[in-house]
Amino acid sequence: MLFRGQSIAALANLPVQEFSAELAKLKLAGRERDIARDLLAELIARTNFLCDVGLGYLQLNRAAPTLSGGEAQRIRLAAQLGSNLQGVCYVLDEPTIGLHPRDNITLLDTLDRLRAKGNTLVVVEHDEDTIRRADHVIDLGPGAGTRGGELVAQGTALQLAEMRNSATGRCLAAPLLHSRSRRRPVDRETAMIEVSGATLHNLRG
């Protein structure tokens, strides 16, 4: 069974972003428009939510076990965006991990929209942009593991930047500089590993 020359399998093989573009190009009329009206609106909304949380590159037919933890978490987040629930407390564990900086901003805007609906977001995160966008920051320390259970500081990002006892605050006030030591020379003679013909999941040759 084909629709406009394409099978469901071919459409499901597209990344979300391309599938969304295909939906936007559809021009339906008459009986087709009546049948697809609600379905099309739902598909467009759901694919837009997936793009909003930085998952536009995923193919629709990707099996759930092949997704990273961050991808699976953002899929659940996209589902919540479409539910229009209010008064819900969401707990997110490093939702920005693995995101390109461009997609990071889009995700933070999406979280703002979720919060604006009257929900509470508790986010465990080390990303500076996320920390600066938070209404309230809780800094636990003084170190990781068994030493990480004390409340070191809390407040807005600006307030934390003035607290010298907070490692997070010190980094917000004066971000750490990367080492300026010379990089080792890398040329065609340098030993390397080459991966060729990789086409699994997100890899395209």
Side-chain angles (χ1 to χ4, degrees), residues 32-150:
E32 282 186 341
R33 183 179 56 199
D34 294 338
I35 292 171
R37 182 188 60 203
D38 295 338
L39 178 63
L40 197 57
E42 189 72 13
L43 283 171
I44 290 171
R46 288 180 180 272
T47 52
N48 284 344
F49 290 144
L50 287 169
C51 290
D52 285 347
V53 295
L55 295 175
Y57 62 88
L58 283 183
Q59 286 176 278
L60 288 168
N61 60 3
R62 272 283 294 275
T66 69
L67 300 171
S68 71
E71 288 169 340
Q73 179 174 231
R74 290 198 294 275
I75 284 176
R76 291 193 293 271
L77 180 61
Q80 293 303 316
L81 283 170
S83 68
N84 286 316
L85 292 175
Q86 296 180 347
V88 177
C89 178
Y90 295 98
V91 181
L92 305 175
D93 184 12
E94 301 200 49
T96 66
I97 197 165
L99 281 182
H100 186 282
R102 175 193 61 245
D103 296 324
N104 199 11
I105 299 300
T106 304
L107 175 61
L108 294 180
D109 289 342
T110 302
L111 294 180
D112 274 341
R113 281 165 40 205
L114 198 58
R115 178 179 56 181
K117 289 182 177 181
N119 300 302
T120 299
L121 284 81
V122 178
V123 184
V124 180
E125 188 58 88
H126 300 90
D127 173 68
E128 182 182 347
D129 291 332
T130 307
I131 293 171
R132 291 190 183 279
R133 292 272 288 266
D135 292 327
H136 192 82
V137 181
I138 297 174
D139 187 14
L140 299 176
T146 57
R147 300 181 63 233
E150 296 178 20

Side-chain angles (χ1 to χ4, degrees), residues 128 171 174-183:
E128 182 182 347
C171 286
L176 295 173
L177 297 176
H178 291 288
S179 170
R180 287 197 169 92
S181 60
R182 288 185 60 190
R183 297 183 63 179

Side-chain angles (χ1 to χ4, degrees), residues 157-194:
L158 287 175
Q159 290 170 334
L160 251 69
E162 298 174 357
M163 300 177 186
R164 307 312 300 163
N165 64 320
S166 166
T168 302
R170 292 195 299 274
C171 286
L172 291 172
L176 295 173
L177 297 176
H178 291 288
S179 170
R180 287 197 169 92
S181 60
R182 288 185 60 190
R183 297 183 63 179
R184 66 185 179 89
V186 177
D187 56 30
R188 292 186 180 276
E189 304 303 316
T190 305
M192 66 181 71
I193 296 174
E194 181 176 339

